[in-house]
Amino acid sequence: MLEKATRLFAEKGYENTTLQDIAAAVGVSRTALYHYVTSKEELLAMLVEQMSVGLADTLAALRERTDLTAEGKLRALTDTLVRQRARSPHQFRVHDQTESVLSEPLRSRHRQARRDVLAALAGVIEEGVDKGEFKPLDPGIAAFGVLGMCNWVAWWYHPGPDYDIDAVARQLSQSAVDMVAAVDAPRGRPDSAKSALAAARSGLDALERLLPGES
């Protein structure tokens, strides 16, 4: 039901979509739909909880992990963001475009969740700067750069042989690390082998796309 409603919000606009439209898309009567939701605002609230509040909680937990370096955390955060945007592009677009129609207290929860997502990225980058893993740069500006790169996936990504999600997530995670990594950062940390493997995979993915098609 939420998926059908989201697609209608994206195609017709939230304001122009009615509960009757949603009921027809789901294949039930409007009366039957009332057994699950009482308004389209309720569906929008469900979308916000899923796309922003739930994501913010996930990223906050990743930020607190003690088994990863700052580089490992940045890779994990970027991977999570990219996969969410690629998996639910319609949901993200609607979520990104309907803030003005949200009522309180949902609007405040939505805005706080957006701040929390940015804070998780900036906090990990700041940790990397403090430990010498990352260049001495402004964590907030760098976080906006990484987040913008991930958000744009919702507009250009299309599942298929040309855009394997694993390859896309690896390459963008590597791009995030390359943007902030210090050239002479010390190695040998617990997740350095995983980081090296991810970088190698990213390079191979790029090489394969340059080769002519083979059976």
Side-chain angles (χ1 to χ4, degrees):
M1 180 172 56
L2 182 59
E3 173 65 22
K4 295 289 187 181
T6 301
R7 285 186 176 273
L8 286 172
F9 293 160
E11 293 168 2
K12 300 183 62 174
Y14 174 78
E15 298 288 0
N16 295 325
T17 301
T18 66
L19 276 181
Q20 182 59 53
D21 294 331
I22 297 170
V26 175
V28 300
S29 67
R30 181 168 176 171
T31 301
L33 192 67
Y34 279 127
H35 288 293
Y36 303 99
V37 294
T38 58
S39 66
K40 64 180 183 180
E41 289 80 7
E42 189 174 342
L43 285 166
L44 186 58
M46 292 167 61
L47 181 63
V48 169
E49 291 290 335
Q50 181 185 91
M51 295 299 295
S52 61
V53 178
L55 175 66
D57 291 341
T58 298
L59 297 190
L62 285 173
R63 179 185 176 185
E64 296 302 319
R65 286 181 58 174
T66 59
D67 61 322
L68 295 175
T69 63
E71 178 182 322
K73 292 178 183 180
L74 182 58
R75 288 184 186 278
L77 264 66
T78 304
D79 183 272
T80 299
L81 286 164
V82 168
R83 290 179 186 277
Q84 190 213 46
R85 281 26 174 174
R87 184 175 62 248
S88 308
H90 295 293
Q91 288 92 325
F92 177 75
R93 292 180 207 171
V94 171
H95 165 266
D96 192 49
Q97 297 169 352
T98 55
E99 180 179 330
S100 62
V101 303
L102 296 176
S103 57
E104 294 295 348
L106 187 60
R107 181 182 299 179
S108 294
R109 282 176 59 78
H110 168 69
R111 289 178 174 174
Q112 183 59 53
R114 291 180 62 174
R115 290 192 291 268
D116 290 344
V117 167
L118 189 64
L121 281 169
V124 166
I125 294 172
E126 184 175 15
E127 176 187 333
V129 172
D130 291 342
K131 292 182 176 179
E133 291 183 56
F134 300 157
K135 294 175 285 192
L137 39 68
D138 185 305
I141 295 175
F144 273 119
V146 173
L147 187 59
M149 176 179 68
C150 296
N151 287 349
W152 192 242
V153 170
W155 273 266
W156 64 259
Y157 176 78
H158 299 285
D162 294 331
Y163 291 111
D164 175 71
I165 185 54
D166 293 328
V168 169
R170 283 196 299 270
Q171 183 165 327
L172 293 185
S173 295
Q174 184 63 45
S175 295
V177 171
D178 290 343
M179 181 172 67
V180 300
V183 175
D184 57 349
R187 297 297 175 183
R189 294 182 172 85
D191 63 334
S192 60
K194 292 181 180 179
S195 298
L197 181 58
R201 284 173 173 167
S202 178
L204 287 173
D205 292 334
L207 179 60
E208 286 180 349
R209 285 193 292 273
L210 295 176
L211 297 175
E214 296 180 358
S215 60

